[in-house]
Amino acid sequence: MIETAALYELENQHGSGAYGKRPTALVRGEGVYVFDELGNRYLDATSGQGVAALGHCHPAVIDAISAQAATLITCHESFYNDRRAELYALLASIMPADLKRFFLCNSGAEANEGALKVAKLLTGRNGIVAAKRSFHGRTAGALSLTWTQKYRKPFQEWLPAVEYVAFNNIEAAEQAISESTAAVVVEAIQGEGGVHPADDAYLRALRERCDQTGAMLIVDEIQTGFGRTGKWFGFERAGIVPDIISLGKAIAGGLPMGAVCWRNAHGPIDRATHGSTFGGNPLACAAALAAITTMRDEALAEKARVNGEWFFAELAALDLRGARQLRGRGLMIGLELRGRVTPVLKALQEHGVLALPAGLNTLRLLPPLTINREQLGVVADAIKAVLG
Ligand SMILES: *Cc1c(COP(=O)(O)O)cnc(C)c1O
């Protein structure tokens, strides 16, 4: 087995340098736990950045991937495929209203790229409105939608112009959205930006203004989708139907996959206007089929809602000295701190709990939706020990 020091050295020497890394090598996962190379166990309240909603190495996902790997791994969308057809049907069955058209891709950023292209193709317009504090990904189109300066600034000259409006400010959005707007892009809950939920009234006002002007309302559900917030999708709470949705993270049980979804009323896009070599490959489709079927059959969205409410109340009752505000829905929870989050993440890890930052001073918790109350209690105890 490779030694720890050698492993770190190899990654540091040959990796891009783009990532700040914690001095821990994760080598195995099982349910809500991950293990480092020394055998130390951590409760993964990150779900591997919101991906492992079913926990790590869920048996249904393992079986689906294993069987499909031995059957057919790759199949371009210029041919039909059994697993892909089944996935389209399953996705269509969980989507409300006429959100029944999909473009399958390989990541969240790619889903937002696709969403922008669909909006442009459907409207023929150029204008884009996004929210301050947003995060939509790192490729050029998705990056242009991303507010955070440190991600966007080095590339600004290459990025399309986007008008940023204050999040949850109805008046500002109504002013910015016009007859030349192609797309209005918003997260159901801003994740990276600090776990700020979109108000129901805000989403309804965006829907109304987009109806008035013919702009496409794109809701980024990459982090909030697939039960995370206590519903299948975050926008459902507001009772609206977006024109376009971007999906990723938890969609395929841990395998890389993204998807753009849009309303049937808008029809398909023209041939050859978009495409992807790996998009809709049978291996990822099989994993997604297993993951989404399990979420549905185990009612994980409802479980996230009920356990999330309980956990939120537990955290609120801790009355933490180091905390300023608790936010979130379902099992997407942000705790704004009085100080920096980095030392808190380190201390939590020493207590056996992995958590995420959201900006400089918000602690973000995205545990697997399969987590039970006893395990959530362990997270709450660690937070109390560190911030109490
Ligand atoms: C993670 C995330 C993305 C980017 O997804 P990648 O798979 O990293 O490209 C985009 N939008 C939101 C809201 C996200 O949380």
Side-chain angles (χ1 to χ4, degrees):
M1 202 177 86
I2 186 164
E3 272 189 41
T4 305
L7 180 167
Y8 291 174
E9 180 60 19
L10 284 168
E11 287 210 23
N12 291 337
Q13 209 175 353
H14 300 295
S16 65
Y19 298 96
K21 290 182 196 257
R22 306 189 202 191
T24 306
L26 300 178
V27 296
R28 191 165 73 80
E30 190 183 330
V32 299
Y33 299 107
V34 285
F35 299 82
D36 69 16
E37 79 286 16
L38 305 172
N40 296 310
R41 188 181 85 165
Y42 304 95
L43 199 161
D44 183 11
T46 78
S47 298
Q49 304 270 344
V51 170
L54 298 177
H56 293 273
C57 299
H58 191 284
V61 176
I62 298 175
D63 289 349
I65 292 175
S66 306
Q68 191 61 39
T71 306
L72 185 66
I73 294 175
T74 194
C75 171
H76 190 258
E77 279 237 23
S78 49
F79 291 88
Y80 292 91
N81 174 260
D82 47 359
R83 289 295 90 75
R84 190 193 302 130
E86 287 166 3
L87 179 60
Y88 280 137
L90 180 61
L91 285 171
S93 77
I94 65 166
M95 283 292 169
D98 69 333
L99 286 160
K100 308 289 181 201
R101 287 226 176 247
F102 303 91
F103 179 89
L104 299 174
C105 54
N106 313 288
S107 71
E110 244 187 278
N112 280 329
E113 296 291 330
L116 286 177
K117 284 179 81 171
V118 171
K120 168 81 173 150
L121 290 167
L122 295 177
T123 63
R125 302 174 182 178
N126 296 319
I128 304 173
V129 175
K132 292 183 179 173
R133 241 174 21 205
S134 59
F135 180 85
H136 297 290
R138 321 258 194 172
T139 55
L143 185 60
S144 72
L145 305 171
T146 292
W147 167 251
T148 316
Q149 294 290 314
K150 76 174 170 194
Y151 301 146
R152 184 156 50 89
K153 212 160 169 215
F155 310 102
Q156 190 55 59
E157 291 80 359
W158 289 353
L159 303 180
V162 168
E163 184 172 357
Y164 289 97
V165 293
F167 185 66
N168 272 340
N169 183 326
I170 292 176
E171 229 171 89
E174 284 175 345
Q175 277 188 10
I177 302 165
S178 73
E179 255 99 55
S180 59
T181 307
V184 177
V185 192
V186 70
E187 291 157 87
I189 300 178
Q190 292 190 322
E192 284 252 335
V195 190
H196 296 277
D199 298 334
D200 296 344
Y202 180 63
L203 290 179
R204 289 190 202 116
L206 292 182
R207 178 66 278 173
E208 204 169 303
R209 186 67 184 142
C210 286
D211 286 339
Q212 283 168 1
T213 57
M216 294 286 131
L217 178 59
I218 301 177
V219 179
D220 180 337
E221 292 274 358
I222 291 165
Q223 192 165 147
T224 46
F226 297 100
R228 173 61 56 194
T229 70
K231 297 220 175 249
W232 269 116
F233 300 99
F235 68 80
E236 291 180 85
R237 206 188 115 108
I240 60 148
V241 181
D243 297 292
I244 304 172
I245 303 164
S246 46
L247 301 167
K249 291 204 161 91
I251 187 173
L255 253 61
M257 184 180 244
V260 191
C261 167
W262 67 98
R263 300 185 57 169
N264 237 346
H266 296 310
I269 54 175
D270 288 339
R271 195 157 290 182
T273 51
H274 200 31
S276 164
T277 298
F278 291 122
N281 72 79
L283 189 68
C285 288
L289 273 168
I292 299 167
T293 303
T294 304
M295 291 171 188
R296 182 192 65 197
D297 294 351
E298 295 184 6
L300 288 187
E302 178 60 11
K303 190 172 175 191
R305 187 184 69 76
V306 174
N307 283 341
E309 272 172 22
W310 176 83
F311 184 51
F312 196 94
E314 290 287 301
L315 291 178
L318 292 180
D319 199 22
L320 302 165
R321 266 186 298 115
R324 209 185 280 279
Q325 196 186 29
L326 187 61
R327 294 186 288 267
R329 286 178 190 148
L331 287 172
M332 179 165 180
I333 291 176
L335 184 63
E336 189 175 319
L337 309 174
R338 294 191 188 281
R340 294 276 167 135
V341 67
T342 314
V344 173
L345 295 175
K346 194 160 173 262
L348 284 174
Q349 184 168 337
E350 280 157 16
H351 282 81
V353 172
L354 303 183
L356 287 166
L360 291 177
N361 59 3
T362 299
L363 178 72
R364 181 171 35 148
L365 301 168
L366 302 172
L369 309 186
T370 51
I371 196 167
N372 64 36
R373 287 197 183 177
E374 190 189 329
Q375 293 159 339
L376 284 169
V378 169
V379 179
D381 288 346
I383 289 173
K384 183 165 175 58
V386 172
L387 290 167

